[in-house]
Amino acid sequence: MAARGCDATSLSRIADEVGIRKASILYHFPNKEALRQAVLDDMLSRWNEVLPRLFLATTQDGVARFEAVMGELVDFFTADPDRARLLVREQMDRPRELREKVSQYVRPWMDVVSGYIKQGQGAGSIRADVDAEAYVIIVVNLALCSVASIAQASMLFDGEPDESIRRRCISELVRMARASLFSESENG
Amino acid sequence: MAARGCDATSLSRIADEVGIRKASILYHFPNKEALRQAVLDDMLSRWNEVLPRLFLATTQDGVARFEAVMGELVDFFTADPDRARLLVREQMDRPRELREKVSQYVRPWMDVVSGYIKQGQGAGSIRADVDAEAYVIIVVNLALCSVASIAQASMLFDGEPDESIRRRCISELVRMARASLFSESENG
DNA sequence: CCTACCGATCGGTAGG
DNA sequence: CCTACCGATCGGTAGG
């Protein structure tokens, strides 16, 4: 379901993968919509386990904190690219519902990050022209969409193995996020 | 079809919008697959009209050229966000086919852009740590995905009108692309 | 360009 | 958790 999207994956197909009959799925969930909600809630709620430990654990400077959060973001989606694909599809198919779920699960953490950015701007370590809230949205969306689709966009690299392409693109997106965030003195 | 994706849009629905019957569509196109190909070819071939004039028209410095190409990229997709949504869906549903079409229509222009980047790196105006090919892919993908979905990600901006949010996100992504590309001396 | 129809598949229900 | 079945809709064809 994650790979091809909720709407394009029939209950029969899901049942086959689980090894039961279609009607049996509708015994555990009242309908397909409820199953979709459960899958999304399960995926998004994992962020509430991952993110807190990043912020509460250590005292870090801005660059180290950037690397920790960015690494976690990239790892979360590269560990299972279907997560990214499902979220991208949901955002296009049912923007309102996903918006509500994001507000519920990850928005507090996005606010924490944009707070750090504004703090860094006050201290001069982060570029003054960064739009903190927009930056966070753009970077999350960039990681999401890159993992969801860019591994397949290998047409620009003749004959290069897919794994190598993926690594180059991920490295480049992290570099872009870093270089466009910090003041040049910190950026080195 | 562009808005909800090829697979999720039935021939009956398309027929209703055009004002004819479903069977009449299958008189003009041998099957649904052929219709999809025609829609994609039509959209991607427009790039072959837009891009050449950007590169051949004027002699520009690096920053001016960046602004021209980036502006065209953003304008192309914001003019009709359904273009971006269709491409994002196709990239997830049929990566191989889209890869071939992109190779056919827009790859030459992406090579031109990455050539300019390498040239700028030789002259010192562009950061040495930019991965030219990966940068182009990331930026195109970023524009695509941002337009396709970010306008709907307005949950971070309480009560702010959608149009204002869209502008902030587009401005921020252009700023990120610019700041992570040019050496600090050129960057202002 | 139409009406009429095809087999296949969809989400969901009845009943056990 | 199953078999059996429902109406709706899908892409596509026949025939005019």
Side-chain angles (χ1 to χ4, degrees), chain A residues 99-173:
Chain A
R99 189 190 303 195
E100 279 174 28
K101 287 201 185 301
V102 168
S103 289
Q104 185 182 341
Y105 291 110
V106 304
R107 186 191 150 151
W109 305 111
M110 294 176 86
D111 286 344
V112 169
V113 173
S114 57
Y116 281 139
I117 291 175
K118 287 172 183 169
Q119 194 178 311
Q121 286 177 314
S125 60
I126 286 182
R127 293 166 182 269
D129 58 356
V130 173
D131 180 336
E133 289 90 356
Y135 175 88
V136 174
I137 291 185
I138 292 281
V139 169
V140 170
N141 206 254
L142 178 56
L144 206 66
C145 295
S146 296
V147 174
S149 64
I150 245 173
Q152 302 150 339
S154 36
M155 63 279 164
L156 269 181
F157 307 83
D158 301 303
E160 197 172 331
D162 277 3
E163 176 57 26
S164 157
I165 295 163
R166 201 184 59 75
R167 248 186 292 110
R168 276 178 69 184
C169 284
I170 297 291
S171 296
E172 180 65 11
L173 86 82

Side-chain angles (χ1 to χ4, degrees), chain B:
Chain B
M1 173 151 111
R4 298 190 47 82
C6 288
D7 296 338
T9 307
S10 71
L11 289 173
S12 311
R13 222 181 112 93
I14 297 170
D16 282 351
E17 278 176 28
V18 185
I20 59 177
R21 295 294 175 185
K22 183 183 67 170
S24 307
I25 291 180
L26 295 165
Y27 166 80
H28 294 285
F29 299 92
N31 49 40
K32 197 188 183 187
E33 164 69 15
L35 172 59
R36 212 197 77 235
Q37 298 281 345
V39 170
L40 280 174
D41 283 329
D42 182 64
M43 182 187 304
L44 288 173
S45 64
R46 292 195 186 189
W47 276 101
N48 274 327
E49 303 168 15
V50 170
L51 286 172
R53 101 178 116 80
L54 285 182
F55 295 113
L56 303 176
T58 53
T59 55
Q60 297 174 319
D61 68 5
V63 177
R65 191 132 55 192
F66 169 87
E67 299 296 340
V69 175
M70 198 71 199
E72 198 68 41
L73 184 68
V74 166
D75 288 349
F76 181 80
F77 291 117
T78 51
D80 184 2
D82 285 341
R83 290 171 175 165
R85 294 192 188 107
L86 180 62
L87 288 176
V88 170
R89 282 187 212 270
E90 285 296 312
Q91 196 163 16
M92 291 194 295
D93 291 341
R94 283 170 281 268
R96 281 199 165 171
E97 294 174 41
L98 188 63
R99 188 190 304 194
E100 280 175 28
K101 286 199 186 301
V102 168
S103 289
Q104 185 183 342
Y105 292 110
V106 303
R107 187 192 150 152
W109 304 111
M110 295 176 85
D111 286 344
V112 169
V113 174
S114 57
Y116 281 138
I117 292 175
K118 287 172 183 171
Q119 194 177 313
Q121 286 176 314
S125 60
I126 286 182
R127 293 167 183 267
D129 58 355
V130 172
D131 181 335
E133 288 89 358
Y135 175 88
V136 174
I137 291 185
I138 293 282
V139 169
V140 170
N141 206 253
L142 177 57
L144 206 67
C145 294
S146 297
V147 173
S149 64
I150 246 173
Q152 301 149 340
S154 35
M155 63 277 165
L156 270 180
F157 306 82
D158 301 303
E160 195 173 334
D162 276 2
E163 175 57 26
S164 156
I165 294 162
R166 200 183 60 73
R167 248 187 292 110
R168 276 179 67 184
C169 284
I170 297 291
S171 296
E172 181 63 11
L173 86 83
V174 173
R175 187 200 66 76
M176 286 181 59
R178 187 193 306 112
S180 61
L181 181 64
F182 293 104
S183 303
E184 200 66 4
S185 53
E186 310 263 330
N187 213 344

Side-chain angles (χ1 to χ4, degrees), chain A residues 64-79:
Chain A
R65 192 133 53 193
F66 168 87
E67 300 296 340
V69 176
M70 198 71 199
E72 199 68 43
L73 184 67
V74 167
D75 288 349
F76 181 80
F77 291 118
T78 53

